Amino acid sequence: MREIIQGGTRRVVVLGTGGTIAGRASHSGDNIGYTAGQVGVADLLGGIDAPEGTTLIAEQVSQIDSKDMSFEIWQKLAQRCAHWLAKADVAGIVITHGTDTLEETAYFLQAVLAPSKPVVLTCAMRPATALAPDGPQNVRDAIAVAGTPGAQGVVAVCAGTVHSAFDVQKTHTYRLDAFGSGDGGPLAYVEEGSVRVLRNWPGPQAAAPLFDRVVSATSWPRVEILVSHAGARGAIVDALVVERKRGAVDAVQGLVLAATGNGTLHHELEAAALRAQAEGIAVVRATRCTQGRILGKPNDALRDPGSLTPVKARIALALELLSAGA
Ligand code: SIN
């Protein structure tokens, strides 16, 4: 579905994917007992004035609770972003998204598109039916960022704060200001439609973006995340290796270990991970800590993805395997 809201000659495209921002509850006092992904994206723009000289275009890409996000929806989203970004009069894109996997979609799109225009994910912690929903202001702020000269790359906007796709993380289960950027700090603030920039926008990656490879893929490398914790064991890793040796369809190709502190692992899990690596499974350690990065040593037997969280490290590893032809 596509609707055009006239306002001017420069265009900002708003792609809807679902989430609490599009959620409906049975009464306005209920901020938690709602169903996500119910209200169409064109309706989310009702009451929001397009900035001067800007036409807003609304397009529904999916309508889901983002806990159920899939690679197939990511493929479609990447394609729709690329389609619109290629048009000279499109200043930027806004994506309405659930908060729960927003950081994963943001990282995925940055890795796959590395756009030279802004792609701005936004969300809400309260459903559209709430007495005081936060979605409309977030959408308004995201449209302001998407139309900001010089803005580029994939970012997230929530509660007046702009986060880079590399750093953004959901940090709170309930508060409206539910996202953080760790020790990198926010990229910018949005104040009454004006964007106060604090640091650099996410730039193009050194390696070429993987767009063609990603959108043409018919299947995705299976990469699992396992957490190291007190009493952790290696049995699940060993079971995954056995499954792979048996030639199971969709056997695991990569493992991300959510490691403690500076990348340490329970010794039983570590031993199993080394066995898995010897069997050809790609293994990466990412820290469980919400801030900081793993400071690796040259002789580390298992590599690390620096400051990437386990969920983002999983995407990076899946893309690496995909580009290697897995
Ligand atoms: C979702 O992620 O789709 C539901 C939760 C939210 O948007 O806050």
Side-chain angles (χ1 to χ4, degrees):
M1 183 187 80
R2 187 174 306 166
E3 288 196 21
I4 299 179
I5 299 159
Q6 294 297 340
T9 51
R10 195 176 64 141
R11 299 191 289 175
V12 168
V13 180
V14 185
L15 302 178
T17 68
T20 294
I21 191 167
R24 255 198 206 109
S26 55
H27 62 97
S28 63
D30 191 350
N31 287 327
I32 55 170
Y34 58 87
T35 306
Q38 302 294 305
V39 181
V41 64
D43 292 335
L44 296 183
L45 297 180
I48 294 178
D49 290 332
E52 177 115 15
T54 303
T55 293
L56 299 178
I57 300 175
E59 181 178 308
Q60 199 77 49
V61 173
S62 67
Q63 189 62 294
I64 61 158
D65 185 318
S66 81
K67 70 180 175 56
D68 299 323
M69 185 51 73
S70 66
F71 276 124
E72 289 70 28
I73 294 175
W74 279 351
Q75 276 180 309
K76 189 172 168 197
L77 198 51
Q79 279 172 308
R80 295 315 294 159
C81 285
H83 167 84
W84 288 113
L85 289 170
K87 300 194 182 299
D89 63 341
V90 170
I93 293 177
V94 169
I95 300 172
T96 57
H97 199 288
T99 59
D100 287 341
T101 58
L102 180 146
E103 68 214 57
E104 295 177 56
T105 300
Y107 180 80
F108 170 83
L109 290 175
Q110 176 62 32
V112 169
L113 298 169
S116 56
K117 294 178 185 178
V119 173
V120 187
L121 284 91
T122 195
C123 56
M125 291 297 284
R126 292 180 183 158
T129 48
L131 198 55
D134 51 327
Q137 185 64 47
N138 285 344
V139 171
R140 199 169 163 242
D141 290 347
I143 292 168
V145 174
T148 296
Q152 66 165 20
V154 182
V155 298
V157 171
C158 183
T161 307
V162 184
H163 305 274
S164 150
F166 294 113
D167 300 321
V168 66
Q169 242 187 301
K170 187 171 180 182
T171 55
H172 205 280
T173 56
Y174 182 72
R175 285 190 206 137
L176 303 191
D177 192 1
F179 288 86
S181 285
D183 42 13
L187 194 156
Y189 293 112
V190 190
E191 297 158 339
E192 294 300 303
S194 157
V195 181
R196 178 158 60 96
V197 179
L198 306 175
R199 58 191 183 91
N200 293 341
W201 298 93
Q205 280 99 274
L210 298 161
F211 179 78
D212 291 338
R213 185 76 188 91
V214 165
V215 297
S216 63
T218 51
S219 67
W220 295 81
R222 179 174 162 204
V223 178
E224 297 286 352
I225 301 176
L226 293 171
V227 181
S228 186
H229 52 83
R233 297 174 51 194
I236 296 175
V237 177
D238 290 336
L240 290 168
V241 172
V242 168
E243 189 186 63
R244 186 177 153 101
K245 278 183 171 166
R246 283 193 187 132
V249 181
D250 198 26
V252 76
Q253 297 182 52
L255 277 180
V256 174
L257 303 175
T260 36
N262 188 33
T264 53
L265 297 167
H266 187 287
H267 67 93
E268 288 195 25
L269 181 60
E270 183 169 30
L274 290 169
R275 289 193 291 275
Q277 188 169 253
E279 292 294 338
I281 295 175
V283 184
V284 165
R285 294 169 298 135
T287 183
R288 291 180 355 180
C289 293
T290 55
Q291 301 207 29
R293 63 191 170 107
I294 295 180
L295 293 158
K297 298 178 289 308
N299 57 348
D300 282 337
L302 297 170
R303 64 196 167 117
D304 71 78
S307 62
L308 290 185
T309 58
V311 290
K312 289 181 184 174
R314 176 182 167 276
I315 296 165
L317 186 54
L319 291 174
E320 181 187 305
L321 289 163
L322 194 66
S323 67

